[in-house]
């Protein structure tokens, strides 16, 4: 038997509905912020990431799915989106043809060869945004507040926003020197990875999970002491915005993020589910001052973040904000006997194309068994069709919640169903399929209701 590749997972229909709900909510919020969707290829030339994400990052050193294609070109399955999007921004000269900032959002699979564990997969889905070409600190602030609003909209009101400032180039150069000085006497005892990090990018050591190095990192000099006046002021103004917007945050001076392109503000959203499970950061991002230039474009900055949709899904299920369920159908068509199959299939398709989610029984089974199937599929009504009904151009509609049934002419079927749905099964925002004539119903059926009318 063939198995899935280690670290990947199948999203079965029982969960894919939740997955799509998350993606569609996040996309609709990004759209409200006037971000536009971009779709870039999964495959990029490897240098996009080695130059973009950085040779010193764990992602580039250890985690990329990189191979030579049949033309001997080194290509990589994207481990993240930002570098590929910046490549596209430059290649398509968006900086010259569009108003800046160019505001983009995206969703799709990314690949990292990491050790699989809770919330960590080798193929995972990211949703993110990038705002390219604007240096206003309020652009950074807008991006953070958008990410925060998205988590709130998903029902996650207990996220911990961690922020840090990595400063401008000069601040980071000074800080890296200070870190080297600090770690130098301990280099022999540090893990092999950190020995390399020491040479390539000592900031990375602050992220090390090996106990000895982690302890050591806690006592390392803090970036705040090395920030230039401009970086400090920029950071203060963003904090002021967060305070005024009542966005809770904490400053985490160990937060350096795993990608080398960041400068100035970086942030991450931590969340522990109500059952106490820690799936890792739900998302993270920051400002990148030089990535566009590094990849051959003009000297323009960018800012963005990405969420891990797999982790969002896992916490939403864990907190029972989302349920694992296959969405219900509206109608279940039950043909009685094999002589009415053509008519039943045509009737089913007509109902589908009129907007009713409809399923059809293909098996020649007893009526009772068909009712059981209808109930299992969550159908509200059964549409029963026997030889007599076909002869008389009629169908029987049975309300499965009330055990009531009625024979009606096929020509009247749609208006009959529309009437039933209007009064009983409104799909409005506030009720998601509940009866909108219920007491206490707040839906304004003219403006709110998305039912079949
Ligand atoms: P990142 O922190 O590497 O940032 O990834 C963002 C999010 O993707 C993480 O917080 C996590 O939720 C999810 N994620 C990462 N790796 C995995 C994995 N192996 N399994 C499941 N989920 C994972 C970036 O990728 C940056 N490009 C974010 C960014 C956008 N910065 C600026 N713009």
């Amino acid at each position: 038997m063939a198995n899935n590749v280690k670290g990947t997972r199948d999203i079965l229909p029982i969960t894919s509905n939740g997955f799509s709900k998350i993606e569609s909510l996040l996309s609709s919020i990004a759209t409200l912020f006037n971000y536009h969707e971009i779709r870039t290829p999964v495959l990029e030339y490897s240098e996009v990431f080695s130059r973009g994400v950085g040779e010193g990052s764990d992602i580039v050193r250890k985690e990329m799915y990189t191979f030579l294609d049949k033309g001997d070109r080194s290509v990589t399955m994207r481990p993240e989106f930002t570098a590929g999007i910046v490549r596209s921004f430059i290649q398509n000269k968006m900086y010259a043809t569009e108003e800046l900032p160019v505001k983009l959002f995206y969703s799709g699979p990314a690949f990292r060869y990491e050790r699989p564990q809770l919330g960590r997969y080798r193929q995972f889905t990211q949703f993110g945004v990038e705002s390219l070409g604007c240096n206003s600190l309020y652009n950074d602030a807008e991006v953070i507040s958008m990410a925060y609003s998205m988590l709130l909209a998903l029902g996650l009101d207990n996220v911990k926003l961690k922020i840090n400032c990595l400063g401008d180039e000069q601040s980071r150069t000074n800080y890296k020197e200070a870190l080297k000085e600090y770690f130098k006497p301990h280099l022999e005892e540090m893990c092999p990875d950190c020995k390399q990090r020491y040479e390539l990018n000592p900031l990375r050591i602050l992220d090390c999970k090996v106990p000895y190095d982690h302890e050591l990192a806690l006592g390392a000099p803090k970036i705040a002491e090395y920030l230039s006046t401009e970086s400090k002021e920029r950071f203060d103004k963003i904090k002021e915005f967060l305070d005024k917007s009542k966005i809770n945050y904490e400053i985490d001076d160990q937060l350096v993020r795993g990608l080398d392109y960041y400068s100035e503000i970086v942030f991450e959203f931590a969340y522990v589910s109500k059952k106490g499970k820690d799936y890792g950061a739900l998302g993270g991002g920051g400002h990148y001052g030089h990535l566009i230039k590094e990849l051959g474009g003009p000297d323009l900055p960018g800012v963005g973040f990405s969420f891990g949709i797999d982790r969002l899904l896992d916490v939403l299920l864990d907190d029972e904000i989302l349920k694992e369920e296959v969405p219900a159908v509206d109608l279940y068509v039950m043909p009685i006997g094999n002589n009415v199959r053509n008519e039943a299939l045509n009737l089913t398709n007509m109902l589908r194309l009129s907007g009713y989610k409809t399923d059809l029984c293909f098996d020649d089974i007893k009526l009772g068994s068909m009712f059981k199937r209808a109930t299992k599929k969550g159908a509200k009504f059964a549409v029963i069709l026997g030889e007599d009904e076909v002869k008389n151009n009629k169908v029987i509609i049975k309300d499965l919640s009330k055990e009531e049934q009625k024979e009606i002419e096929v020509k009247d079927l749609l208006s009959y169903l529309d009437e039933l749905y209007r009064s009983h099964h409104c799909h409005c925002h506030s009720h998601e399929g509940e009866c909108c004539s219920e007491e206490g119903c707040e839906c304004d059926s003219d403006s709110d209701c998305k039912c079949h009318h």
Side-chain angles (χ1 to χ4, degrees):
M1 192 181 67
N3 285 318
N4 62 320
V5 171
K6 187 176 173 195
T8 67
R9 64 170 179 171
D10 301 315
I11 309 283
L12 301 179
I14 195 168
T15 29
S16 64
N17 182 42
F19 212 92
S20 308
K21 274 190 185 166
I22 297 173
E23 280 179 314
S24 101
L25 183 72
L26 299 183
S27 307
S28 63
I29 296 175
T31 305
L32 291 174
F33 279 75
N34 198 27
Y35 278 66
H36 304 287
E37 190 179 11
I38 182 164
R39 297 178 189 227
T40 57
V42 167
L43 277 185
E44 294 279 356
Y45 289 123
S46 303
E47 62 167 13
V48 169
F49 302 110
S50 52
R51 278 167 60 192
V53 176
E55 301 278 7
S57 66
D58 281 6
I59 295 178
V60 171
R61 285 196 307 120
K62 300 192 281 194
E63 295 170 0
M64 296 209 304
Y65 282 88
T66 295
F67 55 93
L68 289 180
D69 71 7
K70 294 197 192 307
D72 261 353
R73 288 167 290 247
S74 176
V75 291
T76 294
M77 290 164 76
R78 64 178 170 221
E80 61 107 48
F81 282 69
T82 312
I85 286 172
V86 167
R87 191 269 308 140
S88 171
F89 173 78
I90 300 166
Q91 190 179 341
N92 292 295
K93 296 199 169 50
M94 286 190 225
Y95 54 85
T97 54
E98 292 184 35
E99 186 74 25
L100 299 179
V102 172
K103 306 207 283 187
L104 305 166
F105 76 87
Y106 49 86
S107 182
F111 305 82
R112 294 183 193 174
Y113 193 79
E114 290 191 84
R115 196 165 63 79
Q117 51 186 291
L118 188 71
R120 179 155 295 159
Y121 306 96
R122 288 182 176 171
Q123 175 175 339
F124 54 97
T125 301
Q126 279 191 342
F127 175 94
V129 312
E130 311 295 339
S131 174
L132 302 163
C134 167
N135 200 34
S136 165
L137 66 98
Y138 294 103
N139 192 31
D140 295 1
E142 179 183 271
V143 163
I144 300 174
S145 69
M146 172 172 25
Y148 195 78
S149 310
M150 286 174 170
L151 293 170
L152 282 186
L154 285 170
L156 299 169
D157 45 16
N158 204 16
V159 286
K160 199 188 274 177
L161 167 61
K162 297 195 228 170
I163 61 171
N164 194 17
C165 179
L166 302 182
D168 52 25
E169 221 167 337
Q170 191 55 52
S171 317
R172 276 196 321 287
T173 309
N174 295 345
Y175 183 49
K176 281 179 189 169
E177 267 165 30
L179 285 178
K180 278 190 142 177
E181 194 106 322
Y182 172 79
F183 286 118
K184 199 172 178 182
H186 311 280
L187 207 51
E188 272 312 298
E189 294 88 63
M190 288 164 68
C191 78
D193 269 347
C194 279
K195 285 189 182 121
Q196 276 194 20
R197 288 171 182 144
Y198 182 87
E199 296 303 334
L200 292 168
N201 182 358
L203 272 172
R204 295 267 80 81
I205 301 175
L206 301 180
D207 237 1
C208 184
K209 304 284 179 293
V210 174
Y212 177 82
D213 302 5
H214 179 66
E215 276 299 306
L216 205 58
L218 292 178
K222 307 294 177 211
I223 179 87
E225 296 154 29
Y226 295 84
L227 293 180
S228 66
T229 318
E230 293 77 28
S231 288
K232 237 186 248 161
E233 268 176 26
R234 188 180 174 100
F235 193 42
D236 285 344
K237 285 196 175 137
I238 296 180
K239 285 188 285 181
E240 188 185 305
F241 167 80
L242 297 175
D243 290 333
K244 287 199 169 148
S245 319
K246 309 247 173 323
I247 297 178
N248 287 326
Y249 64 90
E250 69 181 46
I251 296 169
D252 178 352
D253 50 26
Q254 298 291 116
L255 183 70
V256 287
R257 310 261 311 125
L259 307 103
D260 283 352
Y261 47 63
Y262 292 115
S263 52
E264 307 296 354
I265 191 157
V266 287
F267 55 94
E268 231 169 61
F269 293 97
Y271 190 80
V272 176
S273 80
K274 294 198 173 98
K275 290 180 187 150
K277 285 195 194 163
D278 186 351
Y279 293 89
L282 297 183
H287 179 100
Y288 39 92
H290 304 288
L291 176 61
I292 298 175
K293 190 161 178 233
E294 184 60 43
L295 289 177
D299 193 4
L300 291 169
V303 57
F305 66 82
S306 308
F307 289 130
I309 306 274
D310 304 79
R311 290 187 191 176
L312 288 175
L313 179 71
D314 289 344
V315 299
L316 289 170
L317 289 173
D318 217 24
D319 281 1
E320 292 172 25
I321 296 171
L322 276 181
K323 273 200 290 219
E324 287 202 310
E325 62 186 359
V326 176
V329 292
D330 295 320
L331 310 170
Y332 191 57
V333 177
M334 305 182 357
I336 305 172
N338 283 327
N339 294 334
V340 296
R341 297 254 163 240
N342 289 334
E343 291 80 359
L345 180 52
N346 278 329
L347 177 75
T348 306
N349 285 343
M350 183 277 284
L351 291 167
R352 289 167 173 161
L353 298 175
S354 306
Y356 290 96
K357 194 193 295 178
T358 311
D359 215 345
L360 163 70
C361 183
F362 290 126
D363 297 322
D364 192 15
I365 53 174
K366 290 202 179 98
L367 205 56
S369 308
M370 285 198 261
F371 277 123
K372 276 192 196 139
R373 286 191 187 178
T375 309
K376 215 168 160 194
K377 285 170 191 285
K380 319 242 174 355
F381 301 99
V383 181
I384 305 160
L385 192 67
E387 286 184 37
D388 282 351
E389 283 74 30
V390 168
K391 217 179 291 160
N392 299 323
N393 281 322
K394 290 186 170 168
V395 291
I396 296 168
I397 301 286
K398 179 161 181 173
D399 183 331
L400 293 164
S401 62
K402 293 190 183 148
E403 296 296 313
E404 282 170 11
Q405 66 178 53
K406 194 173 172 192
E407 193 180 59
I408 53 166
E409 304 253 350
V410 172
K411 69 174 172 45
D412 298 330
L413 179 59
L414 281 181
S415 50
Y416 179 70
L417 284 172
D418 283 359
E419 194 52 46
L420 281 178
Y421 269 79
R422 192 205 304 270
S423 57
H424 292 291
H425 294 281
C426 164
H427 290 258
C428 66
H429 297 303
S430 31
H431 297 94
E432 294 268 330
E434 290 298 309
C435 170
C436 85
S437 55
E438 260 174 16
E439 218 185 320
C441 167
E442 283 169 6
C443 104
D444 158 5
S445 44
D446 286 337
S447 61
D448 247 351
C449 179
K450 275 200 188 155
C451 65
H452 296 277
H453 310 280

